[in-house]
């Protein structure tokens, strides 16, 4: 093209750029655009917009805005497509606030008339940040301004509402779009089916599937995978298998996600060997290659069945399958060793397989498993040492990590160290949750420090953390254990007023006290109030 005399028109160069974009060869397209500029080949708004689009796809929105400024300087007027591209680029780089600001300014200064793509892109950005109410407000605004939402707009909002568990509102939108003559697609229905499955609303799921059939919308593999996963999680294995059989009859091919979901269902029922049979028989027969999630499901299943050696065999098999274990895989094996009381092997596994693996990034779950395992096996000094190592390595513990350590320290006779960690939580920028408070209350009760326990109980509510049924029952049993029966009675009244009730341990403790001290007036009053 460059050697032709005269040069081809800018339109033909624009076609070449467009072809590269269709092939997703964005860096090549940018290189070609730069060559055009160097060789003084004329550019137009189409080629400039194409280059802006490429920069956005390459996550260089800053370059895209620089080119926008250059476009305006050249006397071109960017159109709605150009600005839609920039808005999409900002959202893809997790800058929804800047995307909203650009959108607002475009309307304020009347630079463009936003189209359905503009609105849908902004709504999508809001939905990704779970700002459903703002997204709905904008959705209503666009309709009011005469810009009619399309299937993509509705589907985006429906998916957001379903993910936020607002399924009935999502169903309302489905009814609204069909009433307006806007046809839903399989993506719309997949979001709703997933949302309904999360609530086990099987009748509504079947109704949607029937509606899809009436509208000649064929379920996709993803649709069937949602159903297999949902049935499996509820232990409805026969239903999950029926779905797979039905999808095969419909000409759909189950994939690795389908069979992994089925295996997960078997493992949740404790039938790990049946899950293994799916891998070794069905998947291999169909030529479906398992992925790391498939193996993680099996490894987790065997660890929960306390068959850690079988899980380790699968772990060692991964390299032969061309798979690399994830941090989840390592964490599962580590926890499996601790669950079976094999703390020495757990520590060796951590030291040799995890600490020496440069490519592995330990997370808070790893630390929680190790701290909990060490504390439960009374290796408190080692747990504290590891905790210090973790801090030195730059890992920032969350409230769960501190809770694990506080609980371990208090249960192993290190109440003062546990108290110190708890008191210093605000200095770490952390707020104790109800579980952490309850752990400390239990520790104080165990050591007979009822005043400290009661003071902390009152303090937690003052700090905006409401006690739950476990907190109440823990403190009540502490009062029982220390013969504070009147105080226990007052607290039980308060607990019942808040809609909680005595758990099995509290009721059992009260019955045991009545057998041994039946003539105690305070205890007799408790029996009359709570056990009659």
């Amino acid at each position: 093209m460059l050697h032709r005399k005269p040069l081809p028109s800018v339109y033909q160069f624009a076609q070449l750029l467009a072809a590269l974009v269709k092939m997703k060869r964005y860096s090549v397209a940018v290189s070609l655009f730069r060559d055009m500029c160097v060789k003084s080949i004329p550019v137009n708004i189409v080629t400039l917009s194409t280059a802006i689009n490429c920069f956005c796809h390459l996550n260089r929105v800053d370059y895209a805005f620089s080119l926008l400024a250059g476009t305006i300087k050249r006397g071109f007027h960017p159109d709605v497509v150009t600005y839609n591209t920039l808005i999409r680029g900002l959202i893809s780089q997790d800058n929804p606030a800047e995307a909203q600001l650009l959108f607002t300014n475009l309307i304020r200064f009347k630079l463009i008339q936003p189209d359905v793509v503009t609105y849908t892109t902004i709504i999508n950005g809001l939905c990704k940040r779970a700002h459903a109410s703002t997204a709905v407000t904008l959705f209503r605004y666009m309709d009011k301004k005469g810009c009619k939402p399309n299937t993509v707009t509705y589907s985006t909002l429906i998916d957001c509402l379903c993910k936020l568990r607002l399924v009935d509102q999502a169903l309302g939108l489905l009814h609204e779009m069909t009433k307006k003559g806007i046809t839903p697609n399989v993506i719309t229905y997949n979001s709703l089916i997933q949302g309904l499955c999360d609530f086990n609303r099987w009748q509504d799921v079947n109704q949607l599937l029937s509606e899809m059939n009436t509208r000649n919308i064929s379920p996709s593999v993803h649709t069937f995978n949602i159903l297999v996963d949902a049935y499996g999680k509820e232990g409805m294995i026969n239903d999950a298998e029926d779905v797979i059989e039905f999808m095969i009859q419909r000409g759909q091919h189950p994939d690795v996600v389908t069979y992994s979901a089925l295996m997960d269902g078997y493992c949740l029922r404790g039938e790990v060997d049946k899950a293994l049979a799916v891998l070794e028989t069905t998947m291999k027969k169909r030529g479906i290659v398992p992925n790391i999630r498939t193996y993680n499901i099996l490894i987790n299943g065997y660890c929960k069945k306390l068959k850690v050696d079988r899980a380790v065999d699968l772990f060692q098999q991964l390299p032969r399958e061309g798979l690399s274990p994830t941090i989840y895989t390592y964490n599962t094996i580590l926890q499996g060793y601790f669950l079976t009381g094999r703390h020495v092997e757990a520590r060796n596994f951590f030291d040799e397989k995890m600490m020496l693996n440069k490519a592995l990034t330990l997370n808070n779950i790893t630390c929680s498993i190790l701290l909990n395992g060490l504390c439960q096996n009374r290796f408190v000094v080692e747990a504290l040492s590891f905790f210090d190592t973790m801090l030195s390595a730059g890992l920032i513990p969350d409230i769960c990590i501190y809770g694990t350590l506080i609980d371990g320290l208090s249960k192993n006779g290190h109440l003062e160290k546990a108290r110190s960690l708890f008191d210093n939580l605000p200095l770490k920028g952390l707020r104790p949750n109800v579980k952490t408070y309850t752990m400390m209350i239990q520790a104080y009760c165990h050591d007979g420090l009822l005043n400290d326990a009661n003071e902390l109980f009152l303090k937690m509510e003052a700090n905006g953390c409401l006690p739950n049924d476990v907190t109440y029952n823990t403190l009540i049993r502490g009062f029982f254990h220390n013969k504070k029966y009147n105080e226990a009675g007052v607290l039980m009244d308060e607990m019942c007023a808040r809609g909680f009730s005595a758990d099995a341990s509290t009721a059992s403790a009260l019955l045991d006290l009545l057998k041994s001290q039946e003539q105690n007036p305070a205890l007799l009053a408790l029996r009359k109030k709570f056990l009659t």
Side-chain angles (χ1 to χ4, degrees):
M1 290 171 72
L2 290 174
H3 284 92
R4 286 177 62 184
K5 301 293 182 182
L7 279 172
S9 69
V10 65
Y11 175 74
Q12 288 175 296
F13 281 102
Q15 282 184 312
L16 181 57
L17 284 173
L20 286 166
V21 170
K22 280 187 177 180
M23 296 164 65
K24 299 185 178 180
R25 301 294 296 274
Y26 306 116
S27 58
V28 179
V30 166
S31 178
L32 179 62
F33 174 78
R34 284 174 174 159
D35 285 346
M36 289 171 63
C37 294
V38 168
K39 297 181 186 301
S40 301
I41 297 169
V43 293
N44 61 12
I45 189 63
V46 176
T47 51
L48 288 163
S49 295
T50 302
I52 287 172
N53 182 35
C54 290
F55 280 127
C56 288
H57 277 291
L58 294 168
N59 293 323
R60 293 313 307 254
V61 182
D62 50 344
Y63 286 4
F65 274 97
S66 296
L67 188 53
L68 174 70
T71 302
I72 295 169
K73 282 181 183 178
R74 288 170 185 254
F76 294 111
H77 298 286
D79 59 11
V80 66
V81 176
T82 308
Y83 284 111
N84 286 349
T85 301
L86 288 165
I87 290 169
R88 191 182 297 112
L90 287 167
I91 288 171
S92 69
Q93 287 199 277
D94 200 26
N95 284 319
E98 289 185 37
Q100 276 182 266
L101 180 61
L102 175 59
F103 173 73
T104 304
N105 287 335
L106 290 173
I107 295 174
R108 181 182 299 166
F109 299 113
K110 298 180 179 179
L111 296 173
I112 59 163
Q113 180 66 41
D115 61 9
V116 65
V117 177
T118 321
Y119 282 106
T120 302
T121 304
I122 290 291
I123 287 170
N124 181 45
L126 291 166
C127 288
K128 283 183 176 177
R129 305 275 291 204
H131 295 162
S133 59
T134 310
V136 170
T137 302
L138 183 58
F139 175 78
R140 297 304 176 197
Y141 175 82
M142 70 179 284
D143 205 7
K144 183 180 175 183
K145 288 293 181 180
C147 183
K148 300 301 178 185
N150 59 17
T151 302
V152 178
T153 319
Y154 273 102
S155 297
T156 301
L157 204 49
I158 285 171
D159 184 62
C160 175
L161 292 170
C162 288
K163 283 177 178 172
L164 293 173
R165 302 179 71 79
L166 302 170
V167 187
D168 288 318
Q169 289 185 35
L171 287 169
L173 279 180
L174 175 68
H175 176 71
E176 177 186 312
M177 70 186 290
T178 53
K179 193 175 178 182
K180 288 183 176 181
I182 301 168
T183 307
N185 58 22
V186 68
I187 296 171
T188 321
Y189 281 106
N190 284 347
S191 297
L192 287 162
I193 289 168
Q194 180 68 72
L196 290 167
C197 283
D198 290 340
F199 285 98
N200 299 331
R201 290 169 60 172
W202 309 117
Q203 187 174 345
D204 291 329
V205 169
N206 289 331
Q207 186 176 334
L208 281 185
L209 290 169
S210 175
E211 190 177 307
M212 288 176 71
N213 187 52
T214 303
R215 293 181 179 277
N216 291 320
I217 299 171
S218 298
S220 63
V221 172
H222 182 55
T223 317
F224 289 117
N225 286 348
I226 291 169
L227 294 170
V228 173
D229 183 63
Y231 285 134
K233 280 184 168 57
E234 289 301 307
M236 301 160 68
I237 291 294
N238 290 337
D239 295 272
E241 289 178 331
D242 287 345
V243 169
I244 295 173
E245 186 62 33
F246 180 71
M247 69 186 291
I248 293 170
Q249 290 172 6
R250 290 285 299 265
Q252 296 278 14
H253 300 289
D255 57 13
V256 64
V257 177
T258 319
Y259 285 112
S260 294
L262 180 64
M263 289 166 61
D264 193 36
Y266 274 123
C267 288
L268 289 171
R269 286 162 56 110
E271 298 174 329
V272 192
D273 289 335
K274 288 186 179 180
L276 182 63
V278 172
L279 170 67
E280 294 185 337
T281 306
T282 310
M283 291 180 70
K284 286 185 178 178
K285 181 182 176 182
R286 294 188 174 275
I288 298 170
V289 180
N291 58 23
I292 188 60
R293 183 175 180 272
T294 316
Y295 276 94
N296 282 345
I297 287 167
L298 282 172
I299 289 168
N300 184 51
Y302 278 116
C303 283
K304 284 185 175 177
K305 292 284 285 184
L306 307 182
K307 296 181 178 180
V308 184
D309 290 330
R310 190 70 189 91
V312 172
D313 287 341
L314 288 167
F315 173 81
Q316 292 171 343
Q317 188 178 320
L318 291 176
R320 297 194 295 273
E321 298 291 333
L323 298 170
S324 299
T326 62
I327 185 62
Y328 177 85
T329 322
Y330 284 100
N331 287 345
T332 304
I333 298 285
L334 183 66
Q335 188 164 41
Y337 275 129
F338 278 124
L339 281 172
T340 51
R342 295 160 65 175
H343 57 84
V344 175
E345 287 167 282
R347 288 146 71 194
N348 289 339
F349 180 79
F350 177 79
D351 292 337
E352 296 170 10
K353 299 290 186 183
M354 299 179 74
M355 285 294 286
L356 296 178
N357 189 339
K358 302 290 185 183
L360 192 66
T361 303
L362 304 182
N363 58 21
N364 276 340
I365 296 173
T366 316
C367 299
S368 185
I369 292 168
L370 192 65
L371 289 172
N372 186 55
L374 291 171
C375 288
Q376 284 193 343
N377 287 280
R378 299 189 176 276
F379 294 105
V380 183
V381 176
E382 280 193 39
L384 285 171
S385 176
F386 170 72
F387 183 69
D388 291 336
T389 303
M390 179 182 71
L391 294 177
S392 302
L395 197 65
I396 301 173
D398 57 17
I399 192 63
C400 294
I401 294 286
Y402 278 101
T404 300
L405 197 53
I406 287 166
D407 189 49
L409 286 168
S410 62
K411 286 179 177 177
N412 284 280
H414 297 273
L415 180 59
E416 287 309 311
K417 287 182 180 178
R419 189 204 296 258
S420 177
L421 273 180
F422 181 84
D423 290 342
N424 285 322
L425 286 176
L427 298 176
K428 307 290 183 183
L430 295 170
R431 291 183 62 185
N433 56 25
V434 65
K435 190 174 180 181
T436 321
Y437 273 111
T438 304
M439 286 173 179
M440 278 307 302
I441 289 169
Q442 185 178 37
Y444 286 141
C445 290
H446 184 266
D447 278 35
L449 303 173
L450 266 295
N451 290 336
D452 290 332
N454 198 42
E455 185 180 330
L456 187 59
F457 178 81
L458 298 172
K459 185 179 177 182
M460 69 182 288
E461 190 159 356
N463 289 340
C465 183
L466 295 176
N468 60 15
D469 58 331
V470 180
T471 319
Y472 274 105
N473 279 285
T474 298
L475 187 53
I476 288 167
R477 288 196 297 273
F479 283 135
F480 282 165
H481 184 70
N482 290 275
K483 300 182 180 180
K484 303 282 186 180
Y485 305 128
N486 288 322
E487 289 88 339
V490 171
L491 199 60
M492 287 183 83
D493 284 332
E494 182 184 319
M495 177 177 72
C496 293
R498 292 199 170 187
F500 301 128
S501 58
D503 61 20
S505 297
T506 304
S508 177
L510 180 55
L511 287 170
D512 289 342
L513 286 169
L514 288 168
K515 287 177 184 176
S516 59
Q517 303 179 41
E518 194 166 338
Q519 300 308 309
N520 186 296
L523 279 174
L524 291 173
L526 284 174
R527 181 178 66 178
K528 184 178 179 181
K529 190 178 293 186
F530 297 105
L531 298 177
T532 57

